[in-house]
Amino acid sequence: MKYHIATFGCQMNEYDSGLLANLLESVGCQVTSKKEEADFIFFNTCSIREKAEDTAIARISQIKSLKYKNPNLKIIIVGCMAKNKGKALFKRLPFIDYVIGPDHYKEIPEIILKQKSYQRVYTEFDETENYQGAYAKLQTPYSTSIGIQRGCNKRCSYCIVPYVRGKEKNRDPLDILAEVQSAADRGVSEIMLLGQTVNAYHKDDFSFATLLDKISQINGIERIRFTSPHPKHYNDELIDVLLSNSKICNHVHLPLQSGSDAILKKMRRQYNVENFLSIVERFRNNNPLYAVTTDIISGFVGETDEDFEQTLEVVKKAQFDNAFMFIYSPRAGTESFQEKETLSEEEKQERHERLVVIQNEITMQRNKLMFNRNEKILVERPSTKDPDEWVGKTENFKKVIFKPTKIVHPGDYVVCHINDIRGWTLRGEVVGE
Ligand code: SAH
Ligand code: SF4
Ligand code: F3S
């Protein structure tokens, strides 16, 4: 039996697809990259913005004809849209077989291999399901993500995540350490820890800081990353570990959302601009090249011109290395969905575009600071444009293109002298291993 998984959405979904892959392989299924060859096609979906759901539905619709060619094919919708839309998906996509939410993946082999009745929905939350002992398939042989927390206890007024992922569940630290150890034993040197408010992680005596410290002691682990921390959950203990432990990378993805205190309050973000900037300042005071990336929403309900100008000001002050910038998308079920939007689509789009222009310029300026430096690069893959060139990442998460001086493999580390920066592209010359 062959399976294919198409994944949409955030890194949490990528990780869950890896969990699902291992669960399927444990009962003898084999992966295929071709949907036409598959007996089971999974769509691991996202609901964060309306467009995410529309894209998934369009992609699922495209494979309807495969079902006629292979009547035994089963099409299974998993992930956040499965939870969000539930059985309504059978109306929209009558040819699909199962709709399975994020707390029911362990049951999937049983459901798809043994059950004869189709069009069933498994989407209730299970507050006890933490996937204890179920590790995810490695994303690459050298770098992989590890889920340490599922769900979210915040109630940001625009956000659907708590409604589709449920309450925060922190995973047993020993189970996490065992998964990291098993990845390290297979050659992984870079770990990305995942949670919606990852730095709020706590379980028994383990804080996030303790967990980071223990992971850094695992032989073979060279780079530790995590996403997404919440500005409210930084304390001195955590900042000390982040700045003093050399295995924790000098890059943080710290979502700002808005640069207006009034909007942050309406968003129920639990911090203000001053708190946010003081965290950025602590990283940058320690190391001016410390990379800070962010998420920003333009055009939230009630966002005035002045609020938006404040966001632009904070963006300039914070000097983000990069940003994911989104247009506010009202999500049914969330608090801010109740409120009538104050801006037209064009106005939201226009603000978004102004922000993108300013941030792109800052991104280029931040990249320029890397010029003339020697940087340790984790080698990823040959470049798609020129197979003689390879691509890798610096510790502060910048992509570097270089020409190897001898044979390199994905997962190697090389030292590059950054000697050319054009637009977004950093190039380097190998000067050591
Ligand atoms: N847990 C993370 C965010 C996860 S969602 C955090 O709190 O930072 C990823 C990003 O999607 C958010 O940071 C936000 O910028 C964006 N987002 C969430 N809901 C949205 C909505 N309704 N419209 C537009 N963007 C949204
Ligand atoms: Fe959504 Fe807020 Fe939770 Fe992030 S912290 S997942 S934005 S509710
Ligand atoms: Fe999307 Fe679910 Fe992630 S809604 S952003 S896939 S947690």
Side-chain angles (χ1 to χ4, degrees), residues 291-336:
V292 182
T293 56
T294 200
D295 293 346
I296 300 172
I297 301 175
S298 296
F300 186 60
V301 208
E303 184 187 83
T304 62
D305 281 335
E306 205 191 345
D307 290 320
F308 183 66
E309 293 302 327
Q310 285 171 7
T311 297
L312 299 181
E313 280 313 304
V314 176
V315 163
K316 288 176 197 160
K317 271 195 197 138
Q319 292 285 299
F320 296 116
D321 291 78
N322 213 337
F324 294 110
M325 294 164 276
F326 307 107
I327 295 174
Y328 171 61
S329 166
R331 308 305 290 130
T334 62
E335 188 186 332
S336 60

Side-chain angles (χ1 to χ4, degrees), residues 34 210 380:
K34 298 192 186 98
T210 333
E380 292 179 354

